[in-house]
Amino acid sequence: MNDSLSRKQREIRQREGEILNHAEKLLHDHGFHGVTMERLAELTACSRGTIYQHFTNKEDLCAAVCLDNSSQLVELFQRAVTFDGESREQIVAIAIAHWLFVSLNPTRFRNFQSIMSSAFREKLPAERETQLFQREETLFKLVTRPVQKAVDDGKLVLHQFHSVAEVVMSLWAHSFGHLYLLTTHIPFQDLGVEAPKGVLFKSSHTFLDGLGWQPLAADFDYRSTFERLQQELFAPEFTALHPPQTAQR
Amino acid sequence: MNDSLSRKQREIRQREGEILNHAEKLLHDHGFHGVTMERLAELTACSRGTIYQHFTNKEDLCAAVCLDNSSQLVELFQRAVTFDGESREQIVAIAIAHWLFVSLNPTRFRNFQSIMSSAFREKLPAERETQLFQREETLFKLVTRPVQKAVDDGKLVLHQFHSVAEVVMSLWAHSFGHLYLLTTHIPFQDLGVEAPKGVLFKSSHTFLDGLGWQPLAADFDYRSTFERLQQELFAPEFTALHPPQTAQR
DNA sequence: ATTTTTTTTGACACCTTGTCAAAATTTATC
DNA sequence: GATAAATTTTGACAAGGTGTCAAAAAAAAT
């Protein structure tokens, strides 16, 4: 009977996964508005009522999808901080991880912003809100590591900034701002920016130089850092981003 | 008869203004979801159908409100670039203008992001889309001025960056990222950032130093720049932000 | 006054969310 | 294995939203 119980239980768990997968697809293909309980129920072969057994409302459902999606970002950040090299190289690795995530999943990135809107979060049950905060914290703490390391190693001396956390916040804001602007459809080319996608990296190094984070851009071959990241740590992602001459089609 | 015609015409124009004002209030108080054609019609004392005479749909209406709101930002930027001083001081003035705008109107700032989402822009008529782009361009060009001036004066030498536009994009991304994060409800205090609001300015100077934009933070009294801006150029806004001991309530 | 043109209206069709009593199914009990 | 109890699933329902359009009302022209 314990088996039977958990059989049904497992069925329910599995269904939750199915709902999430189908919702993810709907969200990706048709946006928040395209996620309809009706359509979702049809795809999952259950009724609308059943979905409400798993998620308190549509917002909760979409937040769950985003949370699920964001684990890929966590994984990328985790990989980034394993980079064997200077602390500043690790920060560059994180920036590239962030950039890769957004480049590979622009809609996921945008969806995440939707759920950050207050209109959205207001409708979220407390539990989901907590999960979201924990995810933010996880990411924040991962970025903290190389910064703390740099301070400990004397590669970074805090002058203006009062704490490591402030530096992390700035780095985050900086990358986020760039990636956000890139995913809006503001035509930067028309505004005179030749290669908008490349600006983030120049900009990051400018900021890191401003911090005095050693070694400075001029004193180190960060181009080869980039290449190593491209060919080693993030090889699969770079390949996915720029598929080699595909034989299909 | 020409008079009569234009009388009615004027009535219609005026109504458009009324609709916009009421919509603005609804949007501010209750968010996008709280803007209901029904409620709006009631406030404006007309029928839902009439509103659709002015705006093709709800998105168009809200975009019009945001566009209207953003003229305050344009005005602040215009004022900022009139600052009599170093080009770098002017950039600081723009950053403060941006910060003031967001601090005074956090919801307006967030609403603007809503209309930047693709789900939203898809529903926008071409004409409104154009207006939005023009607004972005206006702001971009205003930021361009001090940067160009700095390059012309030799206060800023472009090393990494290839063009003035790239620098403007970076500055924009940087400020935007900070202001965005501040308006989400991410509890930065809990993450160890003591004064999240103050980080933007430190961060800006760090970036400007990284650019080598003269005079560097260490060689100039930017604190007094801030005070001048607070007491002169943006006095009314700072007062609105921190009202002196109010006698009311 | 009467006709033509323009503007306004609100009923209509359609869509969506979230609920809940009833039906179906699963689990427990004898 | 039959029956009772507990749990899960269902879909009709109420509520509330958008955008349309033929008809009514108002304004302008004749």
Side-chain angles (χ1 to χ4, degrees), chain A residues 1 4-5 7-8 35-37 48 52 57-58:
Chain A
M1 56 175 114
S4 289
L5 184 91
R7 185 176 62 80
K8 182 67 187 171
V35 180
T36 291
M37 290 316 201
R48 304 222 330 278
Y52 283 99
N57 54 32
K58 205 175 134 174

Side-chain angles (χ1 to χ4, degrees), chain B residues 86-122:
Chain B
E86 295 283 344
S87 55
R88 180 158 161 168
E89 287 182 288
Q90 292 178 343
I91 279 294
V92 170
I94 288 179
I96 288 174
H98 203 177
W99 177 82
L100 274 172
F101 177 78
V102 176
S103 300
L104 288 168
N105 316 287
T107 52
R108 288 185 179 180
F109 179 67
R110 296 316 298 269
N111 288 337
F112 216 92
Q113 278 129 51
S114 299
I115 70 164
M116 296 298 285
S117 72
S118 49
F120 210 102
R121 280 186 102 124
E122 272 166 17

Side-chain angles (χ1 to χ4, degrees), chain A residues 42 68 106 115 130 140 153 161 166 177 208 246-247:
Chain A
E42 202 166 343
D68 199 44
I115 69 164
T130 306
F140 196 93
D153 295 355
F161 291 95
E166 283 188 359
L208 296 172
T246 34

Side-chain angles (χ1 to χ4, degrees), chain B residues 1 4-5 37 48 52 57-58:
Chain B
M1 58 175 114
S4 291
L5 183 90
M37 290 316 201
R48 303 222 331 274
Y52 282 99
N57 53 33
K58 204 175 135 174

Side-chain angles (χ1 to χ4, degrees), chain B residues 60-92:
Chain B
D60 185 32
L61 168 69
C62 292
V65 170
C66 289
L67 216 37
D68 199 45
N69 288 340
S70 71
S71 56
Q72 192 195 347
L73 184 61
V74 172
E75 194 277 316
L76 285 167
F77 273 29
Q78 280 170 340
R79 223 188 305 162
V81 298
T82 68
F83 187 84
D84 184 27
E86 295 283 344
S87 55
R88 180 158 161 168
E89 287 182 288
Q90 292 178 343
I91 279 294
V92 170

Side-chain angles (χ1 to χ4, degrees), chain B residues 3-226:
Chain B
D3 266 17
S4 291
L5 183 90
S6 65
R7 184 176 61 83
K8 182 68 189 171
Q9 221 73 349
R10 259 179 290 137
E11 256 178 53
I12 291 177
R13 284 269 175 86
Q14 193 185 328
R15 167 124 62 189
E16 184 152 323
E18 270 179 65
I19 295 173
L20 235 33
N21 286 343
H22 289 297
E24 140 103 68
K25 185 152 182 56
L26 282 178
L27 192 59
H28 184 275
D29 295 348
H30 307 287
F32 180 71
H33 198 68
V35 180
T36 291
M37 290 316 201
E38 186 59 47
R39 278 207 243 185
L40 186 54
E42 201 166 344
L43 286 172
T44 318
C46 70
S47 77
R48 303 222 331 274
T50 300
I51 297 173
Y52 282 99
Q53 219 82 34
H54 296 267
F55 305 95
T56 59
N57 53 33
K58 204 175 135 174
E59 281 77 14
D60 185 32
L61 168 69
C62 292
V65 170
C66 289
L67 216 37
D68 199 45
N69 288 340
S70 71
S71 56
Q72 192 195 347
L73 184 61
V74 172
E75 194 277 316
L76 285 167
F77 273 29
Q78 280 170 340
R79 223 188 305 162
V81 298
T82 68
F83 187 84
D84 184 27
E86 295 283 344
S87 55
R88 180 158 161 168
E89 287 182 288
Q90 292 178 343
I91 279 294
V92 170
I94 288 179
I96 288 174
H98 203 177
W99 177 82
L100 274 172
F101 177 78
V102 176
S103 300
L104 288 168
N105 316 287
T107 52
R108 288 185 179 180
F109 179 67
R110 296 316 298 269
N111 288 337
F112 216 92
Q113 278 129 51
S114 299
I115 70 164
M116 296 298 285
S117 72
S118 49
F120 210 102
R121 280 186 102 124
E122 272 166 17
K123 297 201 180 176
L124 246 39
E127 201 202 347
R128 191 73 62 190
E129 187 104 27
T130 307
Q131 290 176 356
L132 282 171
F133 173 62
Q134 283 169 352
R135 181 54 42 105
E136 286 152 13
E137 194 177 21
T138 302
L139 291 166
F140 196 92
K141 294 295 181 210
L142 279 167
V143 184
T144 302
R145 277 199 235 169
V147 181
Q148 187 63 59
K149 181 166 176 288
V151 170
D152 294 345
D153 295 355
K155 296 290 173 78
L156 172 62
V157 181
L158 302 181
H159 294 293
Q160 307 275 342
F161 290 95
H162 288 128
S163 65
V164 166
E166 284 188 357
V167 176
V168 174
M169 183 184 168
S170 281
L171 290 167
W172 187 357
H174 186 260
S175 288
F176 175 85
H178 271 278
L179 295 171
Y180 182 96
L181 292 186
L182 286 177
T183 52
T184 62
H185 292 304
I186 299 176
F188 282 102
Q189 312 254 5
D190 297 349
L191 292 168
V193 183
E194 279 172 47
K197 286 180 196 171
V199 177
L200 169 59
F201 301 109
K202 299 178 191 178
S203 191
S204 294
H205 277 299
T206 300
F207 182 72
L208 296 171
D209 277 359
L211 278 171
W213 194 326
Q214 305 290 328
L216 299 182
D219 307 335
F220 194 89
D221 183 11
Y222 286 108
R223 186 167 293 276
S224 82
T225 305
F226 185 86

